Amino acid sequence: MAEQKYILEVQDMKKHFAIGNKKLKAVDGITFGVRKGETLGIVGESGCGKSTAGKTIIGLYGITAGDVLYNGKSIKNMNPKDRRNYTRSMQMVFQDPYASLNPRMTVGDVIAEGIDIHGLVKNRRERAERVHSLLEAVGLNSEHAGRFPHEFSGGQRQRIGIARALAIEPEFIVADEPISALDVSVQAQVINLFQKLQKERGLTYLFIAHDLAMVKHISDRIGVMYLGKMMELTTSAKLYAKPLHPYTQSLLSAIPIPDPEVERTRERIILQGEVPSPLNPPSGCPFRTRCPHAMDVCAKEMPPMKEIEEGHFAACYLY
Ligand code: SF4
């Protein structure tokens, strides 16, 4: 994975937190690369570590072990110039647009915050022009700059959150469940906006979601996480056509199929039990307490991630 073709390389990255005298292994050794201009979806139930992974990659949390390389450079020991470039290149869009927007600031000031911090404009006129063009880029209009976040709907607020992320012209966006809090009718519009912006600006996305249906259309490749580990990673098409990991199979079987005939006759995989606590994960394969195919060997050690078919990786003793 050390080839330059990846703009971002996550190498056996771990993020652990101390909770009392226990260790919460929120992210426990995940490896993947993201190519320039692609969208990598990361999917899993709450508590699987996907959000922590996003926040660690962007530098909001320190890395416990492993590494993250951006354009071949480790983010752990960057010199101040590279660090500045990194924080300018990477931006995050959050799940709850309202909580992430300061209610006392006008939308124009919210969007211009990064522009001001990085000193990207020469005067107020240029600043206003930049804000107006960002508002238009996300489907809002320039009059919205003088209003406050509470005057907007959930979908509009997420558009403001996206405009704020774009303000400093990043190359890479970590979108942390950006559509989960929105009405279903609005979700598709926001996904379309992400796709339009990617095409126009050549952006690279790490797109985090809890539901495979949400990332299907936007992702080139998808990684499936469970209790801090990566279970499967491949192209969106392969994952949907032929999921290999039993956990992915169960996630996919929960998505309704629009064809009533297929929907009536297909088999559902109902998982037993709840996701175990990440403070006390099962030994070996973390999915073994719910896996319909669990064997003795599964309790011993975490199965390694293997390339089962070309470009299709899974961590499971069935393969
Ligand atoms: Fe199931 Fe074992 Fe595969 Fe884990 S390694 S998913 S428990 S078969």
Side-chain angles (χ1 to χ4, degrees), residues 245-246 285 287-288 291 293-295 298 303 316-318:
H245 197 283
C285 169
F287 188 56
R288 72 177 169 83
C291 177
H293 310 285
M295 305 164 273
C298 306
C316 173
Y317 286 121
L318 289 176

Side-chain angles (χ1 to χ4, degrees), residues 211-229:
D211 177 331
L212 270 171
M214 283 186 189
V215 291
K216 182 174 181 183
H217 297 293
I218 192 164
S219 304
D220 299 298
R221 290 183 304 136
I222 297 179
V224 179
M225 282 184 72
Y226 188 81
L227 280 177
K229 311 265 196 203

Side-chain angles (χ1 to χ4, degrees), residues 285-305:
C285 169
F287 188 56
R288 72 177 169 83
T289 52
R290 302 169 82 198
C291 177
H293 310 285
M295 305 164 273
D296 289 347
V297 61
C298 306
K300 296 205 174 98
E301 236 181 286
M302 172 70 194
M305 191 72 148

Side-chain angles (χ1 to χ4, degrees), residues 4-72:
Q4 270 300 319
K5 60 180 182 166
Y6 290 117
I7 183 170
L8 182 85
E9 293 166 63
V10 176
Q11 299 178 335
D12 200 17
M13 182 181 83
K14 296 185 183 173
K15 178 63 202 172
H16 297 171
F17 298 96
I19 309 261
N21 54 6
K22 289 204 156 183
K23 203 182 267 176
L24 175 74
K25 297 179 176 178
V27 176
D28 202 26
I30 58 171
T31 296
F32 58 85
V34 188
R35 297 184 183 92
K36 190 165 172 50
E38 88 166 333
T39 299
L40 182 77
I42 300 279
V43 174
E45 291 162 286
S46 41
C48 74
K50 56 191 191 300
S51 267
T52 303
K55 289 180 178 140
T56 310
I57 289 167
I58 209 159
L60 292 177
Y61 297 142
I63 301 171
T64 305
D67 208 349
V68 174
L69 309 188
Y70 192 70
N71 286 322

